[in-house]
Amino acid sequence: MEYRIERLPREELTAVSRLEREIFTDPWSYEALLSSYDNPCSVFYRASDANDNTVGYAVLYCIYEEAEILNVAVAPQARRNGIASALIGAAVEEGEKRGSSAFFLEVRASNGPAIALYKKFGFSPIGVRKRYYSAPVEDAIEMRRG
Ligand SMILES: CC(C)(COP(=O)(O)OP(=O)(O)OC[C@H]1O[C@@H](n2cnc3c(N)ncnc32)[C@H](O)[C@@H]1OP(=O)(O)O)[C@@H](O)C(=O)NCCC(=O)NCCS
């Protein structure tokens, strides 16, 4: 599948919001996305298909030497094409450029595909946050790289 990775233009937040609702049971609201987008510590990436539709996105949050991957998602029909890997690669590269050497994230304990993806990028489990997620209530695995 042909795709392109780039910084997300602000007007594509509506497409991201649509995907959030389609993919997650506890999606970020449009307002939360907007407020995160406008935070200078955040960087949003998008993956677009051959028709310039947004089919994936990732959100990075950097503060000095620490960075957090806040979100990664790919539209169901676009999965297993390396898109999430490309998004994370772009986010990690940008974090390193901004001076981050340690990357963190949280993931639902039952989310095997995402945990496999993060392990591939050198993330390792460092802890559990009990009942961190809602809808359904579930533990978060905290992971760290670097
Ligand atoms: C997790 C997710 C982002 C992966 O996106 P993707 O574009 O399909 O991922 P990639 O094609 O880059 O896959 C990279 C690696 O991740 C792992 N992986 C991805 N999907 C997987 C699956 N369904 N089962 C097992 N491993 C999987 C594999 O190791 C894969 O490498 P491989 O294809 O060489 O085997 C996607 O399934 C998704 O959007 N899920 C719902 C949202 C979500 O859970 N986001 C994470 C929140 S923390």
Side-chain angles (χ1 to χ4, degrees):
M1 182 190 156
E2 194 186 316
Y3 64 87
R4 213 158 73 100
I5 306 291
E6 62 183 2
R7 292 283 280 270
L8 183 94
R10 203 167 191 271
E11 60 272 17
E12 282 300 308
L13 280 174
T14 46
V16 169
S17 180
R18 223 170 16 244
L19 283 169
E20 272 283 311
R21 289 196 304 271
E22 187 185 325
I23 294 171
F24 293 104
T25 51
D26 54 349
W28 284 15
S29 67
Y30 178 74
E31 291 69 29
L33 285 166
L34 199 60
S35 136
S36 178
Y37 189 89
D38 288 335
N39 185 323
C41 298
S42 302
V43 193
F44 281 59
Y45 284 95
R46 91 191 266 238
S48 53
D49 67 10
N51 299 316
D52 201 34
N53 294 312
T54 294
V55 292
Y57 52 95
V59 182
L60 174 79
Y61 187 84
C62 292
I63 300 186
Y64 303 111
E65 64 276 4
E66 293 196 351
E68 189 166 359
I69 293 182
L70 295 181
N71 208 350
V72 183
V74 174
Q77 75 279 7
R79 290 180 190 164
R80 294 318 282 263
N81 288 299
I83 292 179
S85 303
L87 287 164
I88 293 176
V92 167
E93 193 180 316
E94 176 67 18
E96 286 174 346
K97 234 187 264 171
R98 292 184 179 210
S100 300
S101 51
F103 291 78
F104 297 85
L105 57 82
E106 280 120 18
V107 56
R108 281 186 184 267
S110 67
N111 194 344
I115 292 170
L117 166 74
Y118 298 139
K119 282 190 171 161
K120 218 173 158 181
F121 270 84
F123 283 87
S124 308
I126 53 165
V128 175
R129 292 191 183 199
K130 287 279 172 203
R131 302 172 63 83
Y132 180 76
Y133 292 106
S134 57
V137 171
E138 188 175 353
D139 296 350
I141 309 290
E142 289 181 84
M143 301 183 84
R144 176 188 173 128
R145 174 192 196 265

